[in-house]
Amino acid sequence: MTEDQAGAGVSFAELDLAPDVLKAVRDAGYTHPTPIQQQAIPLALAGRDLIGLAQTGTGKTAGFTLPIVHNLITNPVLDSAGKSLHRVRVLILTPTRELAAQVEESFRKYGKYTDLRVVPIFGGVGIEPQSKSLRNGVDVVVATPGRLLDHMERQNVVFDDLEVLVLDEADRMLDMGFAPQLNRIVDEIPKYRQTLLFSATMPPEVEALARRYLRKPVVVQVGRRSETASTVTHAVYPVPRERKTQLLVELLKKPEMDSVLIFTRTKHGADRVVRHLEQEGVNATAMHADKSQGERTRALEDFKSGKIRVLVATDIAQRGLDVSGISHVVNYDVPQQPEDYVHRIGRTGRAAATGDAYTFMSTDEIAMVRTIERMMGESIPRISVPGYDFGTESGDAAPDAAAIIADDTPPAGPSVSASPDQAGKPKRYRRNVSVARRR
Ligand code: AMP
């Protein structure tokens, strides 16, 4: 993987996060920050006020949690014996209890190697246990506005030491009528603080809020279009799980698919695909953790030299692969980690060559594709191959893929209908690589 490929430009290790934070990130299985994280983390670390235009699914929660945990542990507030005072230094306001719980979980996840205390504060549950936690001392409060005001009125919480305020999903908080509560809360907390505001949209009300609460904020945004055209084209093929192999065989009939890297989720899956392809007379080899180093090296050499046309690899094997001249990448299974998608499609389409990346999406993988699209801030075109799309053959009762995808942002990509003989021709379109290429 070369540095200039989309999504791979910056690794977490380059973001100057404390070792205990990086360790927790590694435990979570993340290797590369998402676009919003790449932009937001350095600014938040530097203490800047920030407006993050990003919605759920982009990795925004870690985008503010990671730098906050870093700043808290690298500047601890201790008593004379060197023990943490657990004063409230961070307040995160969210519109719903679900989001509050999610953000709390994020602090637990990324703060697992620290002694930071985080408490979620929301209505609908007993107030006493929350009062007790607050009085015992906490570093981070994640709250919905109404219940927090209850606690403030009872003087359960003191914000004298507050350093950071986060307004998460600010547009939703305003939609839900929380403006008066927000004003009352912000009036009670220190003026000199860092404020981070996240919002999926930027209506005038949110702008006004930002003007009132933030100081010289930097706006970061995901999904901004780049002028840099990418030569990679990609497409999603809706297909019932049990028909994936047949669709693959069909696509491999295209002569232009001369060097194809296929990713499967499991080792067994990789072996099964290879067996099936060989039965169909396609020269293929599997590469995964059960293969010896010698076997893997040989497979790679044969693939590079063109001796084998198809290499089938698992998620595990993908990181070390650096194969130039790949004509196509096929995600036989939708990658489990959204960032893996960007990684993989980055393997095709190097400078001079054009490359295509296809993702087979069964009904149970629709949500995952949507997560990937949100994370990239754009949609991926659908290609519907008659005879292979959901419901056309399998009797699968899944709703129409385009309809599902269209009910959420980003909107569904152009849905292309293709006859089997056009199946290898996804719509050309530009891929957003601006953020990923920033260094
Ligand atoms: P969020 O937008 O904060 O709701 O995050 C969406 C999902 O992406 C969550 O399930 C996170 O665990 C996951 N996630 C966050 N950051 C990364 C990353 N850098 N790489 C892979 N997954 C991530």
Side-chain angles (χ1 to χ4, degrees):
M1 189 63 146
T2 58
E3 287 292 296
D4 65 351
Q5 284 166 0
V10 179
S11 71
F12 270 112
E14 291 169 78
L15 286 179
D16 287 333
L17 292 163
D20 282 343
V21 179
L22 279 180
K23 207 151 62 159
V25 167
R26 263 200 303 276
D27 290 353
Y30 309 153
T31 53
H32 290 76
T34 67
I36 191 79
Q37 291 165 359
Q38 276 182 42
Q39 297 179 79
I41 291 173
L43 291 162
L45 284 176
R48 294 296 304 261
D49 278 9
L50 202 72
I51 297 175
L53 284 171
Q55 49 217 336
T56 301
T58 54
K60 70 175 166 65
T61 316
F64 63 80
T65 310
L66 293 170
I68 288 175
V69 172
H70 170 99
N71 284 341
L72 290 177
I73 62 173
T74 50
N75 302 290
V77 177
L78 307 172
D79 64 14
S80 54
K83 291 185 85 177
S84 174
L85 285 168
H86 298 301
R87 300 242 169 95
V88 181
R89 298 172 67 193
V90 181
L91 170 63
I92 292 141
L93 293 173
T94 72
T96 62
R97 47 192 288 179
E98 289 74 24
L99 189 58
Q102 230 170 288
V103 171
E104 180 217 357
E105 176 58 34
S106 176
F107 270 92
R108 293 200 187 286
K109 188 153 88 179
Y110 304 123
K112 67 194 268 202
Y113 296 109
T114 74
D115 70 343
L116 293 178
R117 292 187 196 160
V118 49
V119 65
I121 299 292
F122 45 71
V125 294
I127 198 162
E128 253 329 293
Q130 296 177 353
S131 306
K132 209 169 144 204
S133 301
L134 287 169
R135 285 197 297 263
N136 281 343
V138 292
D139 305 274
V140 179
V141 171
V142 190
T144 52
R147 177 58 72 91
L148 180 68
L149 277 170
D150 287 350
H151 284 287
M152 288 168 74
E153 276 157 16
R154 292 170 187 228
Q155 300 188 326
N156 285 338
V157 57
V158 179
F159 286 123
D160 292 351
D161 297 287
L162 193 91
E163 297 166 26
V164 187
L165 169 68
V166 180
L167 301 164
D168 198 6
E169 300 198 356
D171 48 354
R172 247 174 107 199
M173 284 202 276
L174 295 184
D175 283 349
M176 290 168 73
F178 279 134
Q181 285 91 335
L182 290 181
N183 285 330
R184 280 174 60 200
I185 294 167
V186 178
D187 275 350
E188 298 280 318
I189 65 175
K191 270 201 174 59
Y192 293 100
R193 56 164 198 263
Q194 182 181 26
T195 308
L196 312 176
L197 180 151
F198 288 84
S199 193
T201 58
M202 203 62 188
E205 299 77 27
V206 177
E207 260 177 49
L209 193 78
R211 264 198 305 277
R212 258 201 326 277
Y213 295 164
L214 279 72
R215 277 188 305 165
K216 296 190 184 151
V218 185
V219 180
V220 300
Q221 184 173 8
V222 290
R224 209 174 28 202
R225 295 279 146 182
S226 156
E227 287 312 302
T228 324
S230 165
T231 50
V232 175
T233 59
H234 46 154
V236 164
Y237 286 79
V239 57
R241 179 164 291 285
E242 66 277 10
R243 303 217 67 205
K244 283 187 172 187
T245 317
Q246 285 150 286
L247 177 61
L248 180 63
V249 170
E250 196 62 45
L251 290 179
L252 285 170
K253 288 180 182 160
K254 309 256 109 199
E256 67 265 26
M257 292 189 75
D258 55 8
S259 175
V260 184
L261 181 55
I262 297 171
F263 288 109
T264 61
R265 199 165 48 77
T266 64
K267 293 177 278 195
H268 293 305
D271 289 334
R272 210 174 321 119
V273 169
V274 167
R275 267 201 311 278
H276 204 108
L277 290 179
E278 280 174 346
Q279 279 164 15
E280 298 284 335
V282 179
N283 203 355
T285 297
M287 190 157 121
H288 51 63
D290 280 359
K291 302 276 179 184
S292 71
Q293 193 53 50
E295 284 174 312
R296 287 201 232 176
T297 311
R298 200 160 46 250
L300 207 54
E301 276 167 9
D302 288 351
F303 185 53
K304 277 180 173 172
S305 69
K307 214 153 130 196
I308 48 172
R309 180 180 165 210
V310 178
L311 186 66
V312 188
T314 54
D315 287 355
I316 316 296
Q318 71 166 320
R319 287 293 150 81
L321 288 180
D322 184 17
V323 186
S324 44
I326 294 175
S327 70
H328 292 76
V329 166
V330 175
N331 289 313
Y332 187 90
D333 299 305
V334 175
Q336 299 291 295
Q337 300 286 340
E339 57 141 13
D340 285 345
Y341 181 83
V342 183
H343 260 266
R344 292 177 191 179
I345 65 171
R347 288 182 194 292
T348 65
R350 306 222 176 179
T354 60
D356 291 325
Y358 305 146
T359 298
F360 292 179
M361 175 183 74
S362 54
T363 49
D364 55 314
E365 293 171 315
I366 293 172
M368 202 58 223
V369 169
R370 282 167 60 183
T371 304
I372 291 168
E373 290 178 312
R374 279 199 216 103
M375 193 160 277
M376 297 200 310
E378 62 186 284
S379 53
I380 308 167
R382 273 35 173 188
I383 294 187
S384 172
V385 183
Y388 289 94
D389 201 344
F390 303 137
T392 51
E393 284 289 314
S394 65
D396 197 322
D400 171 60
I404 298 175
I405 291 145
D407 75 353
D408 203 343
T409 49
S415 193
V416 184
S417 231
S419 62
D421 64 13
Q422 289 177 310
K425 293 199 182 95
K427 199 170 161 55
R428 295 259 152 204
Y429 93 118
R430 291 180 155 204
R431 188 159 51 107
N432 174 18
V433 291
S434 62
V435 172
R437 287 192 173 162
R438 274 168 32 135
R439 294 282 317 191

